[in-house]
Amino acid sequence: MFLGFDSSTQSLTAVIINPQTGEIILQESVHFGNDLPQYKSPSGFIPGGKDGEVHSDPLMWLDALDLLLGRIKDQVDLSKIRMIAGSGQQHGSVYLDDSFEGRLAGLVISKSLSEQLKPAFTRATAPIWMDTSTGEQCAEITAALGGSDEVCARSGSIAIERFTGPQIRRFSKLDPEAYARTAHIHLVSSFMASVLAGKSVSIDYGDGAGMNLLNLEGLGWDTDLLEATAPDLDSKLSSPGAATTPQGPIAGYFVEKYGFSTDCQCALFTGDNPASLVGMGATDPGNIVISLGTSDTFFASMPGPKTDPNGYGHVFGNPIGGFMSLICFRNGSLAREALRDVHGLDWSAFEAPALDATADAAGKNLMLPFYGPEITPRFDFSQPVLQGSEKFETGDAALQVRALLEGQFMNMRLGSQWMEVQAERIRLTGGASKNNGIAQLVADVFQAPVERLDVSNSAALGAALIAAGAAGHDVSELQKTFCQASAGSQLQPNPALDQVYENSMPAFKDLLAGAMGA
Ligand code: ADP
Ligand code: XUL
């Protein structure tokens, strides 16, 4: 059996699979807010951070690991687990002194992980991906490298506030003494992997690419980016590696306390998005994942490290080899909800019967679907821009719902063009994906079949598949079993709309350029 963890913003999840029987043996989570209320982090982070700071307490993640394993040891015989892998929320960082590895090697089962590791932290809290405090550091790193294009060409993204490099730079400036005492800087992913392996392990290419520090050409730390970020950084980072590389046996602590076998090996942890790519069965080219959550994200594997010339998208490592893109659209469900509420509608107005009623208007009315600042394209929008019939512009709710959704997916098509990926199949996930009207419009605008999967924990499932891959299983084969489309979830594109949206795209692009130039 293989165990995958996902250490995400709000919870720690475990998924155990048995490749022989094709079964998911267990899915279990610890919710930080509900299960560990003493950390006063109802949504997984410490509320009230200043100057854009959003931090979490890494001791909470350690307590969650003890709590989760304590729960599952009575449900599953953990001695049957051959390999463990995992994923973590991306970009967050943990700072430890030179006692970290000694403490890991000397863990005793009479005490908790958090009690024993607490003295090793040189920074009590960990900045996470929601942190926006590093604008100044991004500008400094960009200037040192000679511009955003150079940072993007090397690391796959322009310097981004939430990325780890700018976060490390800020710490080194704010508290140079504590930074100097720091011997290890880990991502959330590599920190959790290190605890399980009982030693400081590698940072995987998938999550490492979210740091503005990894050079995607050679998959090594980029000397110039290291230098532009903070002093002596090279010595504090583990070497980068592939997620499927076994790192050695699980630490004795977990064998004695939870019943793992001494033969159980640990692979690396990757980022939650790279792990989701695996868990959604989308690691082969031509498969695209669109997640319709609070924000919308679009991700797909790529054979080479191609970067977005506009600097909006990111390139991460694909845990199964090669690369992946991730593009974030901030106004996803936020905009759908805003339009719904403006007109006093419910989600039925976005369902197939309601959209069928306006089928004649397909592609005829254009809406820039942004109610607030957008990431792709990066611009401070404050309200949608409408261009079309008088009925539409003066407030017809049904026409506006259609145009908003068409605008969102045309913007997604436009924002992902740099990848030059021909969508052969789109896998939809996230809260809005269950809406058949929205899903059909994705199929029509992209002219590709759309399907939805049964899995709800796609990152933890992806991690379990990575663990099986690290033990020699063929991950593509396992995906055929574990990442099946759910029955009846497939939708075909309407071929009659191919030319309709093809013709609307240039007008949409012009409207966007006009709004951003104004
Ligand atoms: P996140 O993981 O970002 O917290 P989810 O993937 O759980 O978000 O998605 C939640 C969102 O899904 C809600 O904010 C809501 O707007 C949207 N949603 C839920 N049900 C529907 C529906 N039937 N139709 C359209 N959108 C929906
Ligand atoms: C990706 C990102 C988030 C985190 C948290 O760049 O910041 O998706 O990985 O899930």
Side-chain angles (χ1 to χ4, degrees), residues 8-9 88-91 129 162-163 272-273 297 314 316 326:
S8 79
T9 313
Q89 54 171 311
Q90 298 200 246
H91 319 300
W129 64 278
R162 70 182 189 284
F163 275 37
D272 54 358
N273 296 297
T297 55
H314 309 304
F316 300 143
L326 180 121

Side-chain angles (χ1 to χ4, degrees), residues 189-209:
S189 57
S190 61
F191 171 64
M192 297 300 277
S194 298
V195 171
L196 285 159
K199 61 182 185 186
S200 203
V201 300
S202 294
I203 292 177
D204 102 294
Y205 302 135
D207 212 13

Side-chain angles (χ1 to χ4, degrees), residues 145-500:
L145 267 286
S148 282
D149 289 352
E150 189 61 26
V151 179
C152 189
R154 291 176 186 229
S155 75
S157 303
I158 64 167
I160 301 277
E161 281 83 349
R162 70 182 189 284
F163 275 37
T164 326
Q167 294 286 349
I168 293 171
R169 179 167 181 79
R170 186 156 187 271
F171 180 55
S172 76
K173 294 275 181 184
L174 284 179
D175 196 344
E177 183 276 325
Y179 176 78
R181 274 193 298 115
T182 302
H184 304 275
I185 300 177
H186 275 295
L187 293 176
V188 179
S189 57
S190 61
F191 171 64
M192 297 300 277
S194 298
V195 171
L196 285 159
K199 61 182 185 186
S200 203
V201 300
S202 294
I203 292 177
D204 102 294
Y205 302 135
D207 212 13
M211 301 174 79
N212 283 140
L213 292 173
L214 190 74
N215 189 308
L216 295 182
E217 282 293 335
L219 291 175
W221 300 124
D222 185 290
T223 317
D224 297 328
L225 283 167
L226 290 176
E227 208 165 290
T229 299
D232 202 19
L233 185 50
D234 197 20
S235 72
K236 303 180 198 289
L237 296 174
S238 306
S239 56
T244 47
T245 319
Q247 303 290 306
I250 190 167
Y253 176 88
F254 300 97
V255 174
E256 278 184 65
K257 201 162 183 170
Y258 302 112
F260 285 93
S261 154
T262 49
D263 294 333
C264 173
Q265 291 275 315
C266 296
L268 292 180
F269 276 41
T270 184
D272 54 358
N273 296 297
S276 257
L277 185 79
V278 180
M280 291 293 292
T283 32
D284 293 333
N287 292 309
I288 281 165
V289 179
I290 296 176
S291 172
L292 302 171
T294 310
S295 294
D296 293 341
T297 55
F298 176 108
F299 49 93
S301 73
M302 293 189 295
K306 200 169 174 5
T307 53
D308 181 357
N310 293 310
Y312 307 141
H314 309 304
V315 181
F316 300 143
N318 172 349
I320 302 304
F323 295 86
M324 68 176 282
S325 66
L326 180 121
I327 312 173
C328 186
F329 301 85
R330 190 182 165 279
N331 278 270
S333 284
L334 298 171
R336 292 186 286 274
E337 286 170 14
L339 183 71
R340 181 196 64 184
D341 297 342
V342 163
H343 291 293
L345 306 169
D346 59 33
W347 288 130
S348 66
F350 293 67
E351 277 290 354
L355 290 170
D356 287 348
T358 56
D360 287 350
K364 295 214 172 88
N365 298 306
L366 299 179
M367 188 191 291
L368 301 185
F370 311 118
Y371 283 78
E374 180 50 57
I375 294 172
T376 311
R378 191 182 301 264
F379 192 74
D380 273 343
F381 293 99
S382 55
Q383 59 187 38
V385 177
L386 277 63
Q387 187 185 80
S389 69
E390 199 185 333
K391 193 175 169 200
F392 163 68
E393 288 191 8
T394 53
D396 185 277
L399 290 177
Q400 290 193 358
V401 167
R402 168 173 283 280
L404 175 113
L405 295 171
E406 289 177 343
Q408 288 192 313
F409 304 130
M410 283 198 276
N411 185 51
M412 231 177 230
R413 238 181 94 167
L414 208 55
S416 58
Q417 257 169 3
W418 60 273
M419 290 170 54
E420 293 176 359
V421 169
Q422 181 56 44
E424 285 161 23
R425 182 178 74 181
I426 297 174
R427 293 197 142 175
L428 278 191
T429 180
S433 67
K434 59 176 173 280
N435 184 314
N436 279 323
I438 296 177
Q440 183 62 51
L441 267 187
V442 173
D444 290 340
V445 172
F446 280 91
Q447 284 293 305
V450 158
E451 52 192 41
R452 280 128 322 156
L453 307 195
D454 288 328
V455 275
S456 51
N457 295 308
S458 58
L461 173 63
L465 293 169
I466 291 168
H473 281 269
D474 179 338
V475 175
S476 304
E477 277 305 311
L478 292 182
Q479 283 172 324
K480 289 179 194 154
T481 310
F482 287 100
C483 315
Q484 297 240 17
S486 53
S489 79
Q490 278 138 319
L491 296 171
Q492 294 301 323
N494 175 355
L497 292 175
D498 184 11
Q499 214 45 51
V500 170

